[in-house]
């Protein structure tokens, strides 16, 4: 059943006469169900033709600046047939240019004055196939996708002009047409193309998919359509660092919502002029949302930083924990880049023992995303076999939301350490035993001198929950500590020139320093432990 009614006829005739395509006519007539838009262009034009054939009189355009002569319906039908014949041309109407853009081979197409060809050429199966060929050549692994489009902002101006025209005509029939009564161009485009993409690629369209295919359209011929808005609504068009033009879709829509109808009509033709060419496709982009890998690492070297150690552009050490893990992940996931995070960090000369330190790596724009648990185990083994400086355990894929568990209540968590302490004065076992009895000692730590270049100056209160000592000789003992996360252990031992109070030196009334430090445990119950 054809979606237009007798009530729509005058508007449909007027829009078609002024150069509007059938699908845009449906939009302005408020056709909000999918089926009519999906009709093949030949069938759609034939149905519209039959609908208008019932009107025997000549069409007279009741709009500003009408054409100099009347056009008989038969002439209009001939024009429709011409479009139809071009749409069925087996030679193909869209082609990929040398610069990668897609444009029309058909210079004779009567291009829609509202959608600039979007609902004409770019809904056809041939164009869909061109896009799908690029998607398949991109090398991404996906089981569903989200399809997005970016239309040139001048389409909003042209749609506004057509709306004012239709609203005026409907007003003569005492009918109202609000902006929200028009089916949005993106909605109509989605109704038509989503089933075609899904059929061609063999996967469902899913708005929550992490894999996105985006098509960016441009129309250089009409790029100045928006410019008059800047003179009338200058506050709507403010330069932004990451935008090449001030005429963004949001800025244009903001201006259109502010401008008075009479001012718009003075500046822009209603109906809009018919362009000579359809839109071109600037880019077809494929991108996959980040995936996240988590685990725990042990560090056994006292000459390995957690992250690359680069000072003034010069690398100081050849590798890092981050690189020893992420290099393998980047290669396997075929990702563009990564971001590394962990539950705290150890100094370059500190080992991390016990059950290791939790970490997470965000892999940006990965091309491969589906792995079995066995493949992840093999990846973990590959990392562990590649270096004797680190070991990884509990490697697993996690969600973005799950990473928050690693940071939750970070300062309330506890960490355990073992340290080898040196004293300037000779000591006996009895001289250190009193430290075993100290519980929940509060200390104040001014930002250590060694990290002042990267941390703000502040005094932080931390808690030493417990200490245990083991005597070695007159100038050495082992100290085992359980502390609040975020405690600077080295400074708690030597005092950092009085910036940490109290400290081991002040408690023992002598000079103390730390020779070796190991992280024995990071008490964060994440990620979940896996069976070996």
């Amino acid at each position: 059943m054809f979606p237009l009614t007798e009530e729509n006829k005058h508007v449909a005739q007027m829009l078609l006469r002024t150069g509007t395509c059938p699908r845009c006519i449906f939009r302005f007539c408020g056709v909000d169900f999918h089926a009519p838009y999906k009709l093949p262009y030949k069938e759609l034009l034939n149905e519209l033709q039959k609908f208008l054939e019932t009107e025997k009189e000549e069409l007279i355009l009741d709009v500003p600046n009408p054409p100099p002569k009347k056009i008989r319906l038969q002439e209009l039908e001939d024009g429709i047939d011409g479009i139809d014949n071009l749409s069925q041309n087996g030679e193909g109407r869209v082609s990929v240019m040398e610069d990668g853009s897609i444009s029309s081979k058909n210079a004779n197409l009567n291009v829609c004055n509202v959608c600039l060809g979007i609902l004409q050429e770019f809904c056809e199966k041939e164009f869909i196939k061109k896009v799908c060929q690029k998607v398949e050549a991109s090398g991404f692994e996906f089981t569903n996708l989200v399809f997005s489009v970016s239309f040139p902002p001048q389409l909003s101006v042209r749609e506004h002009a057509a709306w004012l025209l239709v609203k005026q005509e409907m007003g003569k029939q005492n009918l109202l047409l609000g902006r929200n009564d028009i089916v949005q161009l993106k909605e109509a485009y989605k109704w038509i193309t989503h089933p075609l993409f899904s059929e061609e690629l063999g996967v469902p369209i899913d708005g929550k998919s992490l894999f996105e295919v985006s098509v960016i359209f441009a129309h250089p011929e009409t790029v100045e359509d928006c410019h008059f808005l800047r003179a009338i609504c200058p506050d709507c068009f403010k330069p932004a660092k990451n935008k090449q033009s001030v005429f963004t879709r949001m800025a244009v829509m903001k201006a259109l919502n502010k401008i008075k109808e009479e001012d718009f009509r003075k500046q822009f033709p209603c109906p809009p002029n018919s362009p000579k060419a359809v839109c071109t496709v600037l880019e077809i982009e494929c991108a996959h949302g980040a995936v996240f890998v988590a685990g725990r690492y042990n560090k056994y070297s006292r000459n390995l930083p957690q992250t690359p150690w680069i000072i003034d552009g010069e690398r100081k050490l050849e590798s890092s924990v981050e690189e020893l893990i992420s290099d393998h992940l980047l290669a396997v996931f075929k990702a563009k880049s990564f971001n590394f995070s962990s539950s705290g960090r150890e100094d370059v000369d500190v080992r991390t023992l016990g059950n290791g330190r939790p970490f997470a790596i965000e892999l940006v724009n990965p091309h491969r995303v589906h792995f079995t648990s066995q493949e992840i185990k093999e990846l973990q083994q590959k990392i562990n076999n590649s270096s004797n400086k680190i070991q990884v355990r509990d490697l697993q894929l996690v969600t973005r939301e799950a990473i928050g568990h690693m940071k939750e209540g970070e300062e309330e968590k506890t960490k355990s350490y073992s340290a080898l302490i040196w004293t300037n004065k000779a000591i006996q076992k009895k001289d250190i035993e009193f430290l075993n009895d100290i519980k929940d000692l509060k200390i104040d730590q001014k930002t250590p001198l060694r990290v002042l270049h990267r941390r703000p100056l502040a005094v932080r209160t931390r808690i030493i929950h417990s200490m245990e000592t083991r005597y070695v000789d007159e100038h050495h003992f082992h100290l085992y500590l359980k502390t609040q996360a975020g405690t600077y252990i080295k400074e708690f031992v030597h005092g950092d020139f009085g910036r940490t109070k109290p400290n081991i030196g002040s408690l023992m009334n002598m000079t103390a320093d730390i020779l070796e430090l190991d992280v024995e445990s990071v008490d964060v119950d994440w990620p979940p432990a896996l069976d070996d």
Side-chain angles (χ1 to χ4, degrees), residues 4 11-12 15-16 19-31 37 41 44 48 112-120 155 159 162 166 182-185 188 192:
L4 299 183
V11 167
L15 287 173
L16 190 59
T20 306
C21 73
R23 287 181 175 124
C24 280
I25 291 173
F26 286 172
R27 296 197 301 118
F28 282 91
C29 290
V31 177
Y37 294 91
Y41 214 75
L44 179 61
L48 182 61
C112 177
N113 65 339
V114 179
C115 74
L116 302 176
I118 296 292
L119 294 182
Q120 293 173 293
L155 284 178
E159 188 161 285
V166 175
I182 303 169
V183 173
Q184 293 297 307
L185 176 59
I192 303 163

Side-chain angles (χ1 to χ4, degrees), residues 223-277:
V223 73
E224 294 184 1
D225 281 0
C226 305
H227 290 191
F228 75 96
L229 292 170
R230 191 177 189 180
I232 298 172
C233 306
D235 57 318
C236 295
F237 300 94
K238 296 177 181 178
K241 289 181 180 179
N242 59 340
K243 300 291 183 183
Q244 293 182 340
S245 170
V246 296
F247 296 104
T248 62
R249 180 182 173 277
M250 293 300 294
V252 168
M253 289 302 299
K254 187 177 178 181
L256 291 174
N257 289 331
K258 291 183 68 174
I259 192 171
K260 296 178 180 178
E261 288 186 15
E262 57 268 28
D263 291 336
F264 183 93
R265 289 177 178 275
K266 290 176 185 176
Q267 298 289 334
F268 197 83
C270 300
N273 297 325
S274 294
K276 296 177 182 178

